Every structure is written in structure tokens, then in C-alpha cells.
Amino acid sequence: MPEATPVIPTLPSSLPALSTQAERLIELGVHEIAGLPAAELRGFAEAAKDAADCDGGLLAVHPDRAPASVLAPLLRREGKPGFVVVDMPDVDLFAPLDTVELPDAPLYLLTGVDRGDRMANWSPNEALPALTAEARTPFLLTEGIHWVLQQPAVLERNHCFMTIGSRLRKANGTLDARTPAIWISNGTGRDGRERRNAPKIGWCWAGNRHTWLGFASATGRRLQGS
């Protein structure tokens, strides 16, 4: 297993307030995608902000309510919408690992979010047990999208991230070797030149290393006040 990278790039100091995050999702129409009244989103954020350590968390919509394929085009970078790579038509079939427990609710919070830059040049197969040993939980793909929706600056050249909490299980029960990630398109190949610098939902092999991909994770998931 490689050593952790000591260089820590500058990240936004903190997430927006939960009330601001709620308004952002409402502005983008995520509440309608999820079939939720705007008032429910605002009420959740209001109830959560007074709970200990919640107001520094990331507000997320359960992936069953708002799948990655629908959220991806809401991402923006340099005015260009996000997209899913053409060879990932099954993106919404990537489900939480058995070790990832999601709250049984349409809305929840992630606490202690981290981009995992220190694990750049680790493979997903190496990073997952290391995160588990640290009592951290890997991001789902939809959670990564939510993070970039709220803090676009978290996605930057040479410092993007994987979301290895989402995996596709094949019919025989084994995991598909692809692991989802969010990075910035170079506009090459099938992406198309018009997508250069756009946010990109793609995948990497579970055994491969990439110097420019960390591993997004959190200390936990919770309902407000739980």
C-alpha cells in the first residue's frame, strides 16, 4: 500500500450553512426530482442546524429519490453542464456497498467530509480498507455530486475524487471492477471538445492508481438530531 501523500491542497474552508444548501437544491429543482415539497427540505435544514456538529455537514438526498444520471447535468463548471461518460449507461445501478448504511429517509446529512487527497495514487482496493480502519465511510456517487453542487471549488484540476461507496454487483454476486469518480473532462475522445472543462462522471478500475484522484469520505451519515 502506498504512503499517504503529505501535500494538502487548499479546499473551501467549510460547507455552506444547511439552510443555504437547502435553497441551492431547491433552486436546482432537486426537491422536485425527489418528489419532496420545498418546505420539507427547508424544514429538515432548519431542524438539523441546531443539532451538535450538524450545521457543518453536507445535505444529501437519498439516491433512490435522486439518481446520479439526473443529478449529473445540474453540475456546472465554466458554464458547462456535468455529464456521465457514454460507457457508463448503467450508472444508476451502482448501489451502496454492503458496509455502507444509509438512513432510511429521503434526506440525511454527511459529517466530517474529506476529499481524500492524501490517498491520491492509491487504488480503490487499497483505499477502502484504509478508510474502514479509520472509521470513515466512503462517499456514494450521488453524495459526491451533492458535494460539488454545494462547493464547486472542491473539484479542481489534478485534485478530484472517487466515490467508491457505490459499486455495481453482477448477477453472480461479485462486484463489477468499475469504481465511480468525479473529475474534469479534458474534452478528448468520446467526451467531445465542447465538454472540455465540464464536470465528468466516470469510472476507474478498482485495482488502478491515479495521481489526481483522492477518495471522498465522511465520518458518518445521520438524520438531523440523531
Side-chain angles (χ1 to χ4, degrees):
M1 187 176 294
E3 295 183 359
T5 303
V7 177
I8 303 176
T10 302
L11 284 172
S13 58
S14 61
L15 280 156
L18 290 174
S19 58
T20 302
Q21 293 185 46
E23 293 304 323
R24 172 66 172 157
L25 295 181
I26 292 167
E27 173 191 356
L28 293 170
V30 175
H31 66 301
E32 295 175 341
I33 293 169
L36 298 171
E40 184 171 346
L41 204 56
R42 292 187 176 109
F44 181 92
E46 180 66 24
K49 74 177 185 179
D50 295 326
D53 79 11
C54 277
D55 205 34
L58 174 65
L59 176 57
V61 178
H62 196 289
D64 288 349
R65 294 290 193 112
S69 65
V70 181
L71 293 176
L74 302 179
L75 296 170
R76 289 289 185 280
R77 189 174 187 276
E78 298 186 3
K80 297 179 180 180
F83 69 98
V84 179
V85 293
V86 296
D87 56 353
M88 204 176 182
D90 51 1
V91 63
D92 292 335
L93 299 180
F94 281 70
L97 288 168
D98 294 341
T99 54
V100 173
E101 295 185 14
L102 289 187
D104 185 17
L107 301 169
Y108 63 94
L109 300 170
L110 292 111
T111 55
V113 301
D114 178 69
R115 195 170 62 183
D117 295 333
R118 63 189 179 81
M119 290 183 175
N121 206 32
W122 290 36
S123 73
N125 287 342
E126 293 165 335
L128 184 58
L131 291 172
T132 301
E134 296 172 359
R136 297 191 64 84
T137 180
F139 262 39
L140 305 183
L141 175 55
T142 52
E143 294 168 350
I145 295 173
H146 276 293
W147 194 11
V148 180
L149 287 175
Q150 300 293 353
Q151 282 188 306
V154 80
L155 201 66
E156 58 178 317
R157 284 282 178 195
N158 300 316
H159 299 292
C160 300
F161 60 88
M162 303 196 70
T163 55
I164 59 174
S166 294
R167 295 293 295 271
L168 176 64
R169 195 167 293 278
K170 297 187 288 188
N172 64 4
T174 62
L175 291 174
D176 187 283
R178 293 172 295 166
T179 51
I182 306 175
W183 71 92
I184 300 167
S185 175
N186 286 325
T188 57
R190 288 182 289 181
D191 287 2
R193 285 182 294 177
E194 70 280 3
R195 283 176 165 161
R196 178 171 173 77
N197 294 324
K200 174 177 178 177
I201 308 299
W203 58 269
C204 301
W205 299 119
N208 286 5
R209 298 173 177 175
H210 298 277
T211 58
W212 42 277
L213 287 173
F215 294 85
S217 67
T219 54
R221 298 173 180 83
R222 60 189 291 183
L223 300 175
Q224 79 271 26
S226 62

